[in-house]
Every structure is written in C-alpha cells, then in structure tokens.
Amino acid sequence: MKKRILTGDRTTGKLHLGHYVGSLKNRVYFQDTYDSFIILADIQALTTHFEDPKKINQGIMDVAIDNLSVGLNPEKITLFQQSQVKSIAELTIFYSMFVSVNSLRHNPTIKTEAKQYGYKDLSYGFLGYPVSQAADITFCNADLIPVGDDQLPHIEQTRKIVRRFNELYGKGKDILTVPEALLSEISRLPGIDGNAKMGKSLGNAIYLSDNKEIIDKKVRMAKTDTNRIHLNDKGNPQVCTVATYHKAFNLSDYGNLCEMCKNATIGCSACKKELADALNKELEPFRERRAYYEERPKIVGEIIAEGSRKANIIGDNMVLHVKDAMHLLI
Ligand code: TRP
C-alpha cells in the first residue's frame, strides 16, 4: 500500500512562488509515489478572516486552481475542502481536551502571525488552529507532510498530539500515525522586497497566476545587494534576493551568475532579465492549465466535491476507530 501525503493551504487568496518552492513542487513530484491528499483549509482561513467570508469563498476556487495548474492530476490526488469533512471537526474536539493552552501560546508560528495581524487578545479558534491542523493530518493517518519551514511548529504539535493520544487510548496499539514533515531544499523564499519571507499579507509576493508582464515588472523591482550601486561594484549574491530566486528556479545558471556578480561582469538588470525569463519558462505550462480550469469552474467544483466525498468516507471510518479507542461507543 502507498504511503500517504497530506498538505494544503489556507484559502485566503492566491498562492505564490514561496508556496510553490516550499510545498507545491513536492506535491507534484510525489503524486505518483504517494496517495496524496490536498486540503483547501477554509476553516483555518476563517480563524483570521471570519469577517470576510466572501474572500474565503473566492480563495477556495483560487487555491484549487493554483494546485491544479501546477500539474496536480485530479485523477491521482484527492483535493478536498476542510469544512466539508466532518471528521476533522470531531477530531479537533477530542484532541482539544489534552492539548495545553500554554503549548499553543508558545507556538512560534502562532506568535509571529498574532503579531503580524496585530492580535492582542487571541480568539479561541486562532489559538487552537494547530489542533485543527492535527485533525487535518490525522483523519487520514497521513505519513508525510510537505510544507515550508514556517509550518514545522504545527507538525511538531501534531506529532505530540498523536503520541499523547496513542498513549492515552491506544492500549499498546498505535491508533494514529506519527507524521513527518517533508521540507524542500529551499523551504523559505524571500519576498521581492528582501523580507525574509514571501507572504500574501506582506505585499511582496510573485503569484503563480501573475502573467509575463507582471513577472517582468516584479523582478525588475526585486531587491538586490544594496551595497552594489555601480555596474562595476562587485556584488554579494549571498545577500541578494534575485540570486536566491536563481537558485530556486534557474539552478543550472546559478553558479555562473554568482561568479559574474562577484566579479562585476554582469549587472543587476541583465541578471534580473535572465531570472524573469527563467520564471516565465517555468510558469508557462501552468498558465495553459490555469486557463482551462478558469473557464470551467464547474469542473473544479466537481473535483472538490468528489475529493471531499472520498475524504469523508476515510474520516468517518477514522472517527469510529477513535471513538472506539476512547470508549465512547456503547
Ligand atoms: N497551515 C497551513 C498554511 O498556512 C495550511 C494547512 C492547513 C496545512 N492544514 C494543513 C498544511 C495540514 C499541512 C497540513 O499554509
């Protein structure tokens, strides 16, 4: 039997190159070898955007199309919507009994996001979303979770929950599988402004759905080595966003370009032009698939409904096991 992958994204808007490098690329790569589940995390999106449900609704479609456009094959993978899978909500409740509030408060990603959104008094749902994420991962007993490094605290929290659950209710048997994170080589892409992280809400992202003109323009704006002012100044690729992007999207020329930068034999704008070309080359096949699905939203809806149906069957069965282990069946 194939091992299982589960990963996904909150549906607050379109996905960007950071998502692609950190996780989507691995999703495509592993779709043949693993039984792959991709979650459209609309409940998790509500934890920060509960006042903006229309945005989440649009986000479900956008994120689904982003996933399909990069080459995930709906015949192979299970693409499903979190709020349609009841077992996720049920497992969240059960796990919440033994997860400590302090462990959530100290979760570094929760802390960073709370700061970023300016939250002082955290909502119950926001503080608890790592518990809900543990339910996302365990309803189907996923083995491997391809994610960017910002998600590591959540995977660690899930592993703790699983171990604790098995210890409490397993009677020597493992009911739940302890999952493992799968990091890609470049698990965090900087923003075009040079910020350490590319983020939807940071306004520094290149989107998978950006067309050629936008990509060319954004790459022209990207931050390089700020000490390199004149063409004959020698550059330092280690502090250059564009160099990091070359490494992620144009690896065959990366070494050479770094040498030329260090010797001042290539200028930033020529180097950026090469990057924009490499990016457009990588994104071109995605654009064709995107156009296909954008013209057929009904097909996308059917893919999500079918995936959710399949996820429900697996999840309902898991909840039965869990309830049995917890002595809740009479
Ligand atoms: N928290 C993830 C993000 O912000 C999205 C997500 C929800 C997820 N459930 C998941 C990722 C389960 C991996 C596994 O991108």
Side-chain angles (χ1 to χ4, degrees):
M1 235 176 61
K2 279 183 182 173
K3 286 200 170 199
R4 205 163 260 174
I5 272 181
L6 184 134
T7 187
D9 315 276
R10 52 177 84 203
T11 58
T12 47
K14 299 186 168 211
L15 302 183
H16 52 63
L17 294 182
H19 295 113
Y20 180 65
V21 169
S23 177
L24 272 77
K25 213 170 168 175
N26 270 337
R27 296 178 198 176
V28 177
Y29 185 74
F30 286 113
Q31 66 179 330
D32 291 309
T33 25
Y34 285 83
D35 182 20
S36 300
F37 283 69
I38 311 295
I39 187 168
L40 300 164
D42 57 346
I43 298 183
Q44 198 174 107
L46 280 169
T47 65
T48 48
H49 289 67
F50 58 92
E51 288 172 307
D52 204 356
K54 284 208 187 111
K55 181 169 178 165
I56 295 176
N57 187 286
Q58 179 62 44
I60 295 167
M61 202 33 107
D62 287 341
V63 174
I65 293 180
D66 281 331
N67 273 287
L68 294 167
S69 77
V70 298
L72 284 173
N73 181 344
E75 308 269 308
K76 292 181 187 162
I77 57 132
T78 305
L79 178 67
F80 69 99
Q81 189 182 343
Q82 188 183 27
S83 67
Q84 295 299 318
V85 180
K86 292 181 292 295
S87 51
I88 292 177
E90 292 181 83
L91 293 175
T92 304
I93 295 281
F94 294 141
Y95 301 158
S96 72
M97 304 307 156
F98 56 82
V99 177
S100 93
V101 171
N102 272 339
S103 75
L104 294 166
R105 280 220 185 97
H106 293 136
N107 178 310
T109 299
I110 287 281
K111 280 206 227 169
T112 312
E113 288 172 350
K115 206 162 159 194
Q116 187 186 316
Y117 288 109
Y119 295 159
K120 297 252 149 46
D121 186 13
L122 305 187
S123 78
Y124 178 53
F126 176 80
L127 183 67
Y129 91 69
V131 185
S132 157
Q133 188 156 332
D136 299 341
I137 291 169
T138 53
F139 86 91
C140 64
N141 258 347
D143 301 284
L144 209 59
I145 322 295
V147 280
D149 66 354
D150 61 318
Q151 296 298 304
L152 290 179
H154 301 336
I155 311 304
E156 199 43 49
Q157 196 116 34
T158 301
R159 290 162 60 86
K160 271 199 197 132
I161 289 173
V162 167
R163 287 200 201 97
R164 186 82 180 115
F165 183 94
N166 287 338
E167 187 183 288
L168 283 166
Y169 307 115
K171 298 177 223 114
K173 267 200 320 197
D174 284 347
I175 315 276
L176 304 175
T177 304
V178 184
E180 259 175 62
L182 175 74
L183 281 184
S184 57
E185 211 171 312
I186 298 177
S187 60
R188 175 183 298 224
L189 206 62
I192 50 174
D193 58 354
N195 187 310
K197 193 183 164 205
M198 183 177 280
K200 269 183 245 187
S201 47
L202 300 171
N204 62 8
I206 296 179
Y207 291 92
L208 286 167
S209 47
D210 284 345
N211 65 26
K212 183 178 178 312
E213 288 67 42
I214 297 180
I215 301 256
D216 291 348
K217 189 169 153 215
K218 285 185 176 173
V219 171
R220 273 200 303 274
M221 279 161 36
K223 193 154 170 192
T224 52
D225 173 4
T226 43
N227 287 325
R228 190 173 182 204
I229 298 157
H230 308 290
L231 199 58
N232 51 6
D233 291 342
K234 293 185 173 173
N236 178 4
Q238 300 229 300
V239 297
C240 176
T241 317
V242 173
T244 313
Y245 292 177
H246 272 297
K247 191 171 177 193
F249 298 98
N250 188 23
L251 190 59
S252 56
D253 293 332
Y254 171 68
N256 201 12
L257 287 167
C258 285
E259 278 315 302
M260 296 206 291
C261 172
K262 285 193 266 188
N263 300 325
T265 49
I266 186 170
C268 291
S269 58
C271 184
K272 284 176 168 179
K273 172 86 179 60
E274 293 215 18
L275 175 65
D277 290 347
L279 278 178
N280 281 312
K281 195 167 150 213
E282 177 123 8
L283 297 185
E284 202 46 46
F286 304 171
R287 291 177 180 140
E288 279 167 38
R289 279 191 290 261
R290 171 179 303 282
Y292 173 86
Y293 286 112
E294 279 179 351
E295 281 162 27
R296 295 166 184 81
K298 229 179 119 200
I299 293 187
V300 180
E302 280 160 14
I303 292 170
I304 299 170
E306 175 54 23
S308 304
R309 195 187 62 80
K310 198 174 141 197
N312 266 312
I313 294 171
I314 293 168
D316 288 348
N317 191 36
M318 173 58 86
V319 165
L320 267 184
H321 279 303
V322 161
K323 285 184 173 170
D324 185 33
M326 295 178 77
H327 297 276
L328 292 172
L329 300 180
I330 51 165

